[in-house]
Amino acid sequence: MLTIGELASYAGVTVRAVRHYHAKALLPEPERDHSGYRRYDAGAVIALIKIRTLAEAGVPLARVRELLRADEAEFAAAVADIDARLRAEIRERQRRRERIAGLTAGDGLVLPPDVIGFLERLRALGVDERIVRFERDGWIPLAAHSPERIPEWIARKQDQLADPRLADFYLTLGRALDLTDDDPALVDLADSMAAYLTQLADERGEDYLDDSELEPPFAELLDSMAFDTAPPARRLVELLRKRGWTGLTKLGRADPDPADRFRQDRRGDDAETADAEWGTLPGQ
């Protein structure tokens, strides 16, 4: 026969826990012996271990009380259900651990393999790492927002990347990152990119450039991320808008600035001559 302290020690709980289980009518409280002590037998140890194990598994004490009174088959079925729940919780916690680790352990734990493959292809083409990071940072919220669309979008991106002109588009964008807002070379890059987008839209249709169907607020959020990562991109988008294209994540047609339309019509002239001629037109 065991004292309450010995019972608690054998079952791996505190004396206070034993008294708590007595108060909750989970563990029968024995009568005191002639010395005034309560004495517990081996059955009390087994019962207390069951209580402790079920409680540690997150089973409410009211349910524990029911299970202690259940027959063998009912108890076994309940334990199987508890085990299944714990396994599901473990899997979910593991996924959360992977996401947390992915914040500092690179791309692979945050993004689907298809996206990782696309980013590696950009690197293989020599695309500026800052552009690759911008692409990566954009795909992270996309993968969280619309995971079912990722295979479709990546397949389209991979198909587009087979066109050497798109690869040159990425390379051109990378060169723009080292230019200041007032650098004339940025204007030349905007001309080159606008001409490419126009040619591609004419050949393949405007849906080829953007069929993602992203809601405008979400596209604007991704654009703002790009501007934070690469501030010159904001000026480049402004220049592209003047040349008939709007947006960054979500490309679309825009009414070009009349002066830029005039310059594009005079492509045979140098930019300085075209600007001078535009300035002599009525109202300019």
Side-chain angles (χ1 to χ4, degrees), residues 44-272:
V45 177
I46 295 172
L48 187 53
I49 290 174
K50 284 183 178 180
I51 295 169
R52 184 205 70 193
T53 303
L54 292 169
E56 289 176 348
V59 180
L61 293 185
R63 177 59 173 156
V64 171
R65 186 181 301 110
E66 294 174 3
L67 293 177
L68 292 175
R69 298 169 181 167
D71 59 31
E72 187 173 340
E74 184 182 353
F75 185 84
V79 168
D81 288 342
I82 294 167
D83 181 64
R85 175 178 59 80
L86 291 175
R87 288 175 181 272
E89 290 178 2
I90 290 170
R91 288 192 296 270
E92 178 58 29
R93 288 180 180 273
Q94 184 61 31
R95 283 192 290 270
R96 292 177 184 174
R97 288 186 65 244
E98 290 172 355
R99 295 191 195 105
I100 291 296
L103 297 178
T104 56
D107 307 336
L109 294 177
V110 181
L111 291 168
D114 289 350
V115 177
I116 299 300
F118 175 71
L119 298 178
E120 290 304 320
R121 189 173 179 187
L122 291 180
R123 291 187 175 102
L125 290 170
V127 175
D128 191 290
E129 184 61 30
R130 289 170 292 180
I131 299 298
V132 177
R133 285 202 305 271
F134 157 64
E135 283 279 342
R136 178 202 64 193
D137 292 347
W139 282 106
I140 291 173
L142 277 175
H145 180 265
S146 304
E148 73 286 350
R149 299 290 306 278
I150 294 300
E152 169 195 347
W153 289 335
I154 282 294
R156 182 172 61 88
K157 280 278 194 178
Q158 292 283 21
D159 177 61
Q160 291 174 344
L161 205 55
D163 186 335
R165 293 172 298 179
L166 182 62
D168 186 62
F169 181 90
Y170 274 107
L171 296 172
T172 299
L173 193 57
R175 291 194 294 272
L177 298 184
D178 295 318
L179 302 176
T180 59
D181 286 357
D182 58 353
D183 194 321
L186 194 62
V187 175
D188 293 337
L189 288 175
D191 285 339
S192 174
M193 294 173 72
Y196 163 73
L197 292 172
T198 300
Q199 183 181 22
L200 196 59
D202 290 343
E203 291 176 3
R204 306 289 292 269
E206 292 184 29
D207 286 346
Y208 183 74
L209 293 175
D210 178 34
D211 65 353
S212 60
E213 300 175 3
L214 289 177
E215 302 91 338
F218 193 69
E220 291 169 8
L221 171 66
L222 296 181
D223 282 357
S224 69
M225 291 173 57
F227 299 147
D228 291 341
T229 303
R234 186 184 298 276
R235 174 59 177 158
L236 189 61
V237 169
E238 293 172 357
L239 292 171
L240 285 173
R241 181 175 182 82
K242 292 181 178 181
R243 286 153 180 77
W245 291 96
T246 183
L248 184 61
T249 300
K250 193 174 182 64
L251 282 168
R253 293 278 193 181
D255 292 332
D257 181 278
D260 281 293
R261 187 163 56 239
F262 175 79
R263 294 187 188 98
Q264 290 173 14
D265 290 341
R266 299 298 306 274
R267 281 197 185 93
D269 297 329
D270 61 75
E272 185 175 344

